[in-house]
Amino acid sequence: CNTGYVLSGSRSCDSGQLTDNATCVELDHFCVDSTNRDTWGWVTHKPSTDNYGYISFDENPESWCADYDYVVLECPRLVDGGDLQAWCVNKTQMLAPPAANSDCNGGSLDQFCPGYGTDGVAVWNGIDLGGPYRGSAYKRDVFLTKLSGYVAPAPSPDPAPAPPPSSGPSPLGDCECRCDEGSGSFSWSPQTWINKEGCPSGQDC
């Protein structure tokens, strides 16, 4: 399977008959080697705090990478109370080779990426923050659920069902019409009903 997926199920051969129920299951989170990210078209979330794409969790993380499939976090730092890079990636751009999960939650921190915030943490509120050229990749919808206070939008209501088709003509209306064909006190004709069922005696329908 490609990066971001794991093989599930099995494949076997019995008496010449192949049984195959193996599938590739998409992962909610995984760690990658992002060394060549520029060649894959990854972009940092905009706007960010500087030209290198560093941003803080105080800067509306619900908006990060809104039009992309993944939020990929890297290089947590101590700067300005804590920042890190947030890369925005689509599935077709997820060409990075996998890395050990430990590389994304503290195992690869160094002097340039020493950890997030004043405490230099590698995991923030249950979110792995990656490391130097180690991207902690989250499906964007999963990333949102990990943010404190995030409330998922309510699903759109199902549209109202269409009325059943009519089995016959629509019921006739009971509009009435009087036509001006005289003058003076007797300027109106007798009452004439339009599309009326069961014409009253003495009236035109």
Side-chain angles (χ1 to χ4, degrees):
C1 294
N2 296 336
T3 301
Y5 295 81
V6 65
L7 188 65
S8 176
S10 63
R11 173 181 291 178
S12 62
C13 184
D14 183 21
S15 300
Q17 297 296 316
L18 175 65
T19 300
D20 187 357
N21 61 4
T23 58
C24 286
V25 178
E26 188 173 9
L27 297 172
D28 291 340
H29 171 252
F30 50 95
C31 185
V32 296
D33 178 347
S34 56
T35 304
N36 297 316
R37 61 188 175 227
D38 291 341
T39 66
W40 303 320
W42 296 14
V43 296
T44 53
H45 173 73
K46 302 296 183 182
S48 60
T49 54
D50 62 27
N51 291 331
Y52 294 98
Y54 285 92
I55 197 167
S56 165
F57 279 107
D58 293 330
E59 299 177 68
N60 192 21
E62 293 87 353
S63 70
W64 295 0
C65 306
D67 298 323
Y68 291 83
D69 297 319
Y70 296 107
V71 179
V72 184
L73 307 177
E74 284 191 27
C75 195
R77 308 187 305 179
L78 309 178
V79 178
D80 296 328
D83 63 10
L84 75 171
Q85 289 179 316
W87 294 88
C88 305
V89 183
N90 280 319
K91 291 179 181 179
T92 56
Q93 300 168 311
M94 186 50 74
L95 304 174
N101 285 334
S102 59
D103 283 355
C104 285
N105 56 29
S108 64
L109 297 182
D110 62 13
Q111 60 179 327
F112 302 106
C113 307
Y116 184 82
T118 55
D119 295 329
V121 298
V123 180
W124 182 85
N125 283 2
I127 300 174
D128 290 359
L129 303 181
Y133 294 106
R134 289 297 183 266
S136 178
Y138 285 92
K139 289 173 60 178
R140 187 174 183 275
D141 57 342
V142 174
F143 174 74
L144 292 177
T145 65
K146 292 183 171 293
L147 300 176
S148 177
Y150 174 75
V151 178
S156 300
D158 293 333
S166 174
S167 59
S170 300
L172 299 178
D174 61 352
C175 301
E176 63 175 292
C177 173
R178 290 189 176 188
C179 302
D180 185 0
E181 56 182 31
S183 60
S185 301
F186 303 99
S187 60
W188 296 97
S189 70
Q191 189 177 40
T192 300
W193 293 87
I194 309 299
N195 289 338
K196 183 170 181 64
E197 294 179 324
C199 188
S201 176
Q203 296 185 13
D204 297 327
C205 296

